[in-house]
């Protein structure tokens, strides 16, 4: 595995250190690089786009650093893992700051609607959605290998994706309604939760990504 390289995109945002450390924990023999160099991203065998923060800042920083094309190319050419904002920016538009996304997939990024944020007992739910929630796998996938259905993953977000194409959905989470928390198509897998903060299940997903051959 010495030749296998994972490029973690550095665009000035995101929890880069914890993502890199999690990958190094599950794949100590793999070359892991945190990089903002489009040439390194193009040369990598696998690409990870981690995210934390706001969509307008994400897109602005991506463009300011000349990374838009490198990210778009990676979604078309090699195993690609998007995390949090790294999922949301794949879609056409976000309500957060009325921001156009990369438009890889048709769909909208929406804020949790205040009028629906109540649990089954009528108690108000907090936004952002922060903490552990169960993930309902929509279909078998290599990245779910050895991860039980309904496993819990860690979330921190106020917006969620609503794909136009329901077939994109790889998993859903209820908060309080069911929404898409993971998508999968060809060489792309992207999740709303943070696998690097999700204990054993999250590490297993990262391990699966390193070994994935789409």
């Amino acid at each position: 595995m010495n030749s296998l390289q994972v490029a973690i995109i550095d665009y000035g945002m995101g929890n880069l250190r914890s993502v890199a450390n999690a990958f190094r924990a599950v794949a100590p023999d793999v070359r892991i690089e945190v990089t903002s160099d489009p040439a390194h991203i193009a040369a990598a065998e696998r690409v990870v786009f981690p995210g934390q923060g706001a969509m307008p800042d994400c897109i602005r920083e991506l463009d300011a650093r000349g990374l838009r094309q490198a990210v778009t190319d990676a979604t078309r050419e090699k195993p690609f893992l998007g995390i949090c904002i790294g999922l949301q920016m794949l879609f056409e538009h976000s309500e957060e700051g009325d921001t156009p996304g990369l438009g890889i997939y048709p769909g909208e990024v929406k804020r949790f609607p205040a009028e629906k944020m109540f649990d089954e007992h009528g108690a108000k739910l907090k936004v952002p959605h922060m903490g552990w929630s169960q993930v309902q796998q929509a279909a078998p996938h290599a990245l779910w290998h050895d991860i039980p259905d309904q496993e819990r993953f860690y979330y921190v977000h106020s917006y969620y994706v609503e794909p136009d194409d329901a077939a994109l959905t790889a998993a859903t989470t209820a908060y309080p309604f069911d929404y898409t928390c993971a998508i999968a198509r060809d060489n792309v897998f992207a999740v709303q939760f943070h696998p690097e903060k999700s204990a054993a299940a999250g590490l297993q997903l990262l391990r699966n990504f390193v070994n994935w051959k789409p």
Side-chain angles (χ1 to χ4, degrees):
M1 273 202 170
N2 286 327
S3 64
L4 178 61
Q5 181 184 359
V6 177
I8 300 172
I9 298 175
D10 178 4
Y11 60 111
M13 301 173 63
N15 202 8
L16 299 175
R17 179 178 293 182
S18 62
V19 173
N21 287 343
F23 269 106
R24 290 181 180 121
V26 300
D29 297 328
V30 170
R31 291 173 56 211
I32 309 289
E33 182 183 10
V34 178
T35 180
S36 59
D37 187 332
H40 287 214
I41 295 166
E45 293 186 26
R46 298 166 191 274
V47 171
V48 180
F49 193 105
Q52 211 166 285
M55 176 75 98
D57 298 333
C58 166
I59 297 297
R60 184 184 65 247
E61 290 299 317
L62 202 65
D63 286 337
R65 294 161 191 260
L67 292 170
R68 179 186 286 256
Q69 192 62 50
V71 172
T72 301
D73 289 346
T75 65
R76 295 172 178 155
E77 297 170 355
K78 59 190 71 184
F80 180 96
L81 176 65
I83 298 172
C84 196
I85 290 287
L87 162 66
Q88 295 179 9
M89 61 96 186
L90 297 176
F91 288 85
E92 293 171 316
H93 180 264
S94 175
E95 290 182 349
E96 186 173 21
D98 188 22
T99 306
L102 296 182
I104 306 297
Y105 304 113
E108 184 85 5
V109 181
K110 296 188 173 183
R111 183 172 173 85
F112 283 115
E115 67 275 11
K116 292 185 179 181
M117 302 314 292
F118 296 91
D119 68 16
E120 66 271 23
H121 307 296
K124 189 167 178 59
L125 295 171
K126 292 181 179 179
V127 177
H129 171 207
M130 184 180 298
W132 297 81
S133 290
Q134 287 182 311
V135 169
Q136 171 78 47
Q137 298 171 19
H141 192 279
L143 266 69
W144 297 135
H145 176 66
D146 279 348
I147 299 174
D149 194 17
Q150 304 292 347
E151 185 61 87
R152 290 181 179 273
F153 288 83
Y154 187 79
Y155 292 80
V156 185
H157 65 119
S158 301
Y159 294 79
Y160 64 95
V161 300
E162 195 170 88
D164 286 357
D165 183 359
L168 266 176
T169 298
T172 58
T173 288
Y175 190 77
F177 52 88
D178 288 343
Y179 68 87
T180 295
C181 68
I183 65 162
R185 176 151 296 165
D186 302 326
N187 57 299
V188 173
F189 196 91
V191 296
Q192 183 61 64
F193 53 80
H194 287 270
E196 76 279 6
K197 298 180 179 179
S198 296
L203 293 179
Q204 182 61 43
L205 190 144
L206 299 183
R207 186 179 295 111
N208 290 342
F209 177 71
V210 169
N211 294 311
W212 185 30
K213 296 180 175 63

